[in-house]
């Protein structure tokens, strides 16, 4: 565990699951840059604050006094936030109300301040911005953050297209901020997610089946070569047994196991909420 010092106090933070041998911190320079900007610029946090994509809960924990809503696609990130809030005495009946939502939950109806930790998946960012844009208003403050290696021209174009005029800050400690201003004339449209496609005809029992992919799922628009090989190599088994599709993604491997052996009980497991939702939808197709 390490201690993060902010304008709102010091917080002891750890990743999840906690491992005393782990030397990695639960925050980085991008988190520090964003928190410092909020304090230095005196950003009004008295309204409805949403923290999107908080990696390990550092942003949410630091701003807990302002009762933010955290939205994440990571189960581990959400559990880390719960643990860090508890570790710092920020849970319980007298602690305020920090709400933790998954990327699949219904987003808040109003957002006064939107803080975005830029994810690795451009598709996930696109989907979430589409889902949150209707809750923004002309006075909303939108600030994104990420390491320089995580923020690309395509990232800025997404903010520009979905939210409004966008610019970036200078880099500090290899981190950068994104500032986006809501365009009141911008018409909010639904994003392209989820994507669906039919599997090819040479992948065994799932050939021709339709798979569903929510944003952020690996190879969301096509069957990747590794899974194709895997599907062709699944062992033939019969009888009552338990099968776990670990890191299930869109669930195509677990579906293949279920179709090949109807007596099997199949469990789909992933740390991504969107992946589990994709697997469930694929299984029900």
């Amino acid at each position: 565990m390490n201690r993060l010092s902010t304008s709102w106090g010091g917080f002891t933070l750890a990743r999840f699951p906690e491992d005393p041998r782990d030397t990695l911190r639960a925050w980085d320079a991008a988190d520090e840059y964003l928190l410092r900007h909020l304090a230095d610029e005196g950003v009004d946090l008295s309204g409805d604050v949403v923290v999107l994509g908080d990696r390990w809960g550092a942003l949410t924990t630091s701003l807990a006094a302002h009762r933010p809503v955290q939205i994440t696609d990571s189960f581990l990130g959400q559990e880390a936030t719960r643990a860090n809030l508890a570790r710092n005495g920020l849970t319980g009946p007298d602690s305020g109300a920090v709400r933790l939502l998954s990327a699949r939950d219904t987003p808040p109806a109003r957002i006064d301040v939107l803080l975005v930790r830029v994810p690795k998946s451009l598709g996930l960012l696109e989907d979430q911005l589409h889902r949150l844009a209707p809750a923004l208003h002309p006075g909303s403050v939108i600030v994104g953050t990420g390491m320089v290696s995580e923020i690309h021209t395509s990232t800025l174009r997404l903010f520009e297209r979905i939210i409004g005029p966008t610019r970036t800050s200078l880099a500090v400690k290899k981190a950068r901020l994104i500032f986006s201003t809501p365009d009141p004339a911008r018409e909010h449209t639904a994003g392209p997610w989820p994507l669906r496609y039919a599997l090819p005809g040479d992948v065994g029992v799932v050939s021709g089946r339709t798979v569903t992919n929510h944003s952020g799922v690996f190879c969301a628009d096509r069957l990747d070569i590794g899974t194709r090989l895997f599907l062709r190599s699944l062992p033939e088994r019969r009888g009552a047994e338990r099968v776990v599709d670990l890191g299930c993604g869109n669930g195509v491997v677990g579906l293949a196991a279920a179709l090949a052996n109807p007596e099997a009980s199949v469990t789909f497991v992933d740390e991504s909420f969107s992946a589990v939702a994709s697997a469930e939808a694929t299984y029900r197709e």
Side-chain angles (χ1 to χ4, degrees), residues 13-202:
L13 304 173
R15 297 190 175 203
F16 183 89
E18 186 180 344
D19 184 346
R21 299 168 299 178
D22 188 0
T23 59
L24 296 175
R25 301 186 309 182
W27 74 92
D28 61 15
D31 298 314
E32 292 178 323
Y33 197 178
L34 175 56
L35 291 170
R36 188 165 57 250
H37 168 80
L38 296 176
D40 291 348
E41 296 300 318
V43 175
D44 184 4
L45 299 172
S46 62
D48 297 303
V49 179
V50 170
V51 180
L52 177 64
D54 198 357
R55 298 281 172 88
W56 301 104
L59 297 175
T60 306
T61 302
S62 298
L63 301 175
H66 299 283
R67 302 183 179 186
V69 175
Q70 184 202 73
I71 301 175
T72 180
D73 190 48
S74 170
F75 171 79
L76 294 179
Q78 193 175 88
E79 289 301 298
T81 303
R82 284 196 178 93
N84 283 322
L85 288 170
R87 183 176 289 113
N88 290 278
L90 298 172
T91 56
D94 300 322
S95 63
V98 174
R99 292 175 58 202
L100 303 181
L101 302 180
S102 81
R104 309 305 339 141
D105 289 328
T106 301
R110 178 186 173 92
I111 301 175
D112 297 311
V113 178
L114 174 60
L115 308 176
V116 181
R117 179 60 206 247
V118 174
K120 296 178 181 178
S121 167
L122 201 63
L124 179 59
L125 177 62
E126 177 186 30
D127 183 38
Q128 289 303 298
L129 290 181
H130 271 296
R131 287 165 60 85
L132 297 177
L136 300 173
H137 55 85
S140 296
V141 174
I142 298 96
V143 186
T145 190
M147 302 307 291
V148 171
S149 60
E150 299 170 331
I151 298 176
H152 311 285
T153 301
S154 55
T155 310
L156 304 180
R157 286 175 180 166
L158 271 185
F159 278 89
E160 186 90 29
R161 175 167 58 86
I162 301 172
I163 304 298
T166 298
R167 61 184 178 87
T168 60
S169 71
L170 297 174
V172 175
K173 294 183 180 179
K174 298 184 179 180
R176 195 181 295 277
L177 299 179
I178 299 171
F179 307 104
S180 195
T181 303
D183 180 358
R186 187 73 42 97
E187 181 180 354
H188 300 304
T189 58
W193 306 92
L195 302 180
R196 294 180 175 85
Y197 62 85
L199 293 168
D202 59 349

Side-chain angles (χ1 to χ4, degrees), residues 184-280:
R186 187 73 42 97
E187 181 180 354
H188 300 304
T189 58
W193 306 92
L195 302 180
R196 294 180 175 85
Y197 62 85
L199 293 168
D202 59 349
V203 288
V205 291
V206 292
S207 294
R209 291 268 180 166
T210 298
V211 295
T212 298
N213 301 267
H214 287 285
S215 60
V217 178
F218 178 67
C219 277
D221 59 348
R222 67 191 184 282
L223 182 67
D224 65 281
I225 189 170
T227 303
R228 181 189 290 264
L229 177 63
F230 200 18
L231 290 171
R232 291 172 175 172
S233 307
L234 287 177
E236 293 186 8
R237 299 178 65 87
R238 294 290 184 270
E241 60 182 4
R242 186 174 185 120
V243 178
V244 176
D245 186 354
L246 184 61
C248 62
N250 61 23
V252 64
V253 174
L255 175 61
L259 292 174
N261 182 8
E263 296 181 69
S265 171
V266 181
T267 302
F268 298 88
V269 179
D270 205 294
E271 83 98 18
S272 162
F273 291 105
S274 293
V276 174
S278 299
E280 182 176 9

